[in-house]
Amino acid sequence: MSIQVDFILLGAAKAGTTTMADILRSHPDISFCKEKEPDFFSKTNDWKANLNEYHNLFSEGEGKIYGEASHSYTVLPRWNLNIWEDIYAYNPKMKFIYIVRNPIDRFISEYMQDFQRGRLNCTIDEALHKSKSINRSRYYTQILPYIERFGLKRILFIDFEDFIKKREVVLEDVASFLEITANKFDINNNEHSNYSVNSLKMNVKYDWILRRFSGLIRLLPGNFVLSIKRLFVSKKRVFNEKPKLTRLQQETIIRLTKQDTLELGKLIKKDLSGWLKVK
């Protein structure tokens, strides 16, 4: 297949990437990956030998550019320790979109998702000690190797709050960055509701089905998908209200991510001081 992926939505996890991916998918000039998170460069042992498998996840000729979304590309050091070099070898002109979010809010959201999916079986306090979620919020640390390899101009940073409150403005920036027309995005796209895990109470089995068959699930009617989801609902994993972090726990997250927050703020010329305050 005559395909080369042009851009990657790197993450961060629980920062609106599912919604962004669906909006990108709605653009007629973009051929977006059929699989929600292919994780090709992070989890494929020999990526060069498996390029056909990767390219088969895209529909050839439907768009002017090709893109995908994988959170695992910014969770160093969990998987591929040389991922930016591998991506550079694949396409030295690759572009990246990186959505960042207040580390405290992102931690809580990721904990809820991991608990609902059955990845974690502990309180949020225990998760702060056990999980590696904090690494995902060290945004500067995660993105610096990409900057050093590809250059800052090939990376578009988006603040989650801006994406929520000023979506049209953000999408104009995205369109300019990708060199496509902004008014062709479907900003009211709700396709992700068919397979998003943001509010589901599911277990590991559904998690596997979601990732393995995301392309098929996206084509099914929403009501049918909801009926399937109910088979995997665990009442023990329902959150009646959002978990809260104590002042000390929030201060811990702030302390562990403070330097990254300061460096990121300088890099993108944005005031992120709100991330350094206890709520």
Side-chain angles (χ1 to χ4, degrees), residues 14 18 22 25 34-39 71 113 117 119 191-200 202-218 220 225 228-229 232:
K14 307 311 297 175
T18 296
D22 281 328
R25 184 179 286 109
K34 300 171 188 175
E35 194 166 310
K36 184 171 180 284
E37 292 181 55
D39 300 325
H71 300 149
Q113 175 178 276
R117 290 186 177 190
R119 291 176 178 172
E191 186 177 314
H192 70 280
S193 63
N194 282 353
Y195 64 96
S196 173
V197 297
N198 292 352
S199 60
L200 303 180
M202 61 184 71
N203 61 19
V204 175
K205 289 182 180 179
Y206 190 85
D207 186 24
W208 181 83
I209 292 173
L210 179 76
R211 294 179 61 81
R212 183 65 179 83
F213 301 104
S214 60
L216 174 61
I217 290 173
R218 193 177 301 114
L220 298 174
V225 175
I228 295 176
K229 289 172 182 175
F232 298 91

Side-chain angles (χ1 to χ4, degrees), residues 19-65:
T19 300
M20 176 62 83
D22 281 328
I23 292 174
L24 291 168
R25 184 179 286 109
S26 75
H27 200 290
D29 290 340
I30 297 177
S31 179
F32 208 78
C33 186
K34 300 171 188 175
E35 194 166 310
K36 184 171 180 284
E37 292 181 55
D39 300 325
F40 180 72
F41 292 101
S42 55
K43 300 181 182 180
T44 305
N45 289 330
D46 187 348
W47 66 269
K48 291 182 180 179
N50 291 279
L51 271 179
N52 284 339
E53 178 184 335
Y54 183 47
H55 290 161
N56 284 335
L57 298 175
F58 300 83
S59 298
E60 186 176 11
E62 287 191 358
K64 296 178 181 177
I65 58 175

Side-chain angles (χ1 to χ4, degrees), residues 110-151:
E110 185 170 15
Y111 165 74
M112 292 176 69
Q113 175 178 276
D114 285 347
F115 184 82
Q116 289 167 347
R117 290 186 177 190
R119 291 176 178 172
L120 289 177
N121 291 291
C122 60
T123 65
I124 195 167
D125 178 64
E126 293 172 317
L128 189 57
H129 295 279
K130 293 180 179 180
S131 78
K132 299 177 181 178
S133 179
I134 298 298
N135 274 342
R136 294 180 186 265
S137 294
R138 291 191 173 111
Y139 306 123
Y140 183 78
T141 297
Q142 295 293 344
I143 202 64
L144 183 59
Y146 289 94
I147 295 172
E148 292 174 339
R149 198 68 186 92
F150 291 87

Side-chain angles (χ1 to χ4, degrees), residues 1 8 47 81 135 164-165 175 177 194 200 203 256 275:
M1 298 177 73
I8 296 173
W47 66 269
L81 300 180
N135 274 342
I164 297 299
K165 298 175 182 177
F177 178 67
N194 282 353
L200 303 180
N203 61 19
L256 291 173
W275 293 7

Side-chain angles (χ1 to χ4, degrees), residues 170-188:
V170 167
L171 291 176
E172 286 178 5
D173 292 339
V174 171
S176 176
F177 178 67
L178 296 178
E179 300 179 84
I180 55 177
T181 306
N183 61 13
K184 293 183 180 180
F185 284 121
D186 182 358
I187 63 172
N188 298 310

